[in-house]
Amino acid sequence: MTSLAHACRNVLLTADPHAKVMAARAATRDWRLGRLDHRFDVAMPDRPARPPRPDLLPPNRMPKRGKVGSERSRIAMLHALAHIEFVAIDLAYDCAGRFGAGFGPAFADDWMQVGAEEAMHFALLSRRLRALGSAYGDLPAHDGLWEAAEETAHDVMARLAIVPMVLEARALDITPATVERFSKAGDLNSARMLGRIMKDEIRHVAAGTRWFVSAANRAGFDAPEYYQILVNRHFRGSLKPPFNDSARSQAGLTREFYAALASSRLICTL
């Protein structure tokens, strides 16, 4: 029987976007149907395979998205979100394959499902870009999400703290305003799609928070306090209000985790 780790590694090493979506769906389906053994016999790659496009630039070299509400600006926003979802596919399967040995099958259940949903999100955004006369890869993107994965590759609690509980939680903060922006521009199809994606992202943040709290309790740590330590240590940025406290609370990420961090301008000076 093929191992869970092998299936996850296969997703990570698939570069073509359409093929990656198919590999993600197949891996999650096989896990759900009991076709994968809960075994970790291969290592995850340091970096996933990437298609030749989009060009990956440093964040400070990314072009401006243009006038708010213009079609050009909306395409740029959808492209940026598509890239986030594309990388999020790898983040989910890397989490399952890299850290799954330290947990029971329920950990894999969550992250394999998250991976399949991220693949669906990417497919939706890619389809929407094509409907607007563009395509994933037409614009540059940056690699900040995978840099966070590299920073936390050694520690599952750091990975959970930074990826779902900081980066994905930030999406909960900004998506309502993005939905409103698309609605005001008359792009209701995109607005509805982003609203649907956000509902899934609440569950993804919830999975990260739940497993972080479980690991903290198992290690004898105070979960909010240790979260703040890890964010200070590993996140090269700042947590800025406003926060979507309601959506965060639905995910179990209550203010006791992040309020103290938001009071500091600089989270990490490493």
Side-chain angles (χ1 to χ4, degrees):
M1 183 181 288
T2 301
S3 70
L4 175 66
H6 182 85
C8 291
R9 180 180 172 88
N10 180 59
V11 176
L12 288 158
L13 293 180
T14 301
D16 177 78
H18 177 73
K20 188 183 287 289
V21 168
M22 294 299 102
R25 290 174 176 170
T28 296
R29 182 176 62 249
D30 287 346
W31 172 251
R32 190 181 299 125
L33 294 175
R35 297 171 180 165
L36 300 177
D37 189 30
H38 190 254
R39 183 163 37 91
F40 301 88
D41 53 344
V42 294
M44 296 303 102
D46 292 335
R47 287 189 59 81
R50 287 283 179 261
R53 298 168 66 237
D55 294 330
L56 297 179
L57 304 177
N60 61 4
R61 288 185 54 203
M62 288 292 292
K64 301 296 183 183
R65 293 194 179 117
K67 185 179 178 181
V68 173
S70 69
E71 183 174 274
R72 174 176 173 269
S73 173
R74 286 184 282 116
I75 288 173
M77 175 62 74
L78 290 170
H79 191 279
L81 294 172
H83 182 68
I84 288 170
E85 299 292 352
F86 184 72
V87 179
I89 301 170
D90 290 324
L91 289 169
Y93 290 99
D94 185 76
C95 192
R98 185 179 299 272
F99 301 116
F103 299 86
F107 183 85
D109 288 345
D110 277 346
W111 295 109
M112 298 297 278
Q113 182 62 32
V114 168
E117 290 176 354
E118 304 291 20
M120 178 189 68
H121 298 166
F122 172 77
L124 288 171
L125 286 158
S126 183
R127 187 182 310 144
R128 186 63 188 145
L129 282 169
R130 290 195 298 272
L132 293 171
S134 186
Y136 176 63
D138 284 355
L139 299 173
H142 68 79
D143 207 26
L145 272 177
W146 193 256
E147 289 172 3
E150 292 175 328
E151 172 70 22
T152 58
H154 65 290
D155 181 355
V156 64
M157 293 191 70
R159 173 67 62 84
L160 296 170
I162 302 306
V163 175
M165 297 175 72
V166 170
L167 299 176
E168 290 195 78
R170 186 59 181 159
L172 304 184
D173 302 332
I174 65 175
T175 298
T178 305
V179 169
E180 183 179 2
R181 169 180 164 184
F182 276 85
S183 296
K184 286 183 176 179
D187 189 348
L188 299 183
N189 288 332
S190 295
R192 282 191 292 266
M193 179 186 63
L194 294 177
R196 172 187 175 182
I197 289 172
M198 181 174 166
K199 291 178 181 178
D200 291 340
E201 296 297 346
I202 291 174
R203 293 200 307 275
H204 300 176
V205 176
T209 304
R210 183 170 62 254
W211 285 109
F212 181 87
V213 171
S214 174
N217 290 341
R218 187 169 60 178
F221 298 144
D222 177 85
E225 180 180 312
Y226 195 57
Y227 169 78
Q228 293 161 21
I229 290 170
L230 291 173
V231 173
N232 273 311
R233 185 178 298 163
H234 296 290
F235 183 57
R236 302 170 186 271
S238 59
L239 268 60
K240 299 177 182 178
F243 299 110
N244 188 340
D245 292 329
S246 175
R248 285 169 172 253
S249 181
Q250 288 181 58
L253 185 60
T254 54
R255 287 189 61 83
E256 63 181 330
F257 283 91
Y258 57 86
L261 292 171
S263 66
S264 301
R265 284 188 182 178
L266 192 62
I267 296 298
C268 183
T269 57
L270 293 179

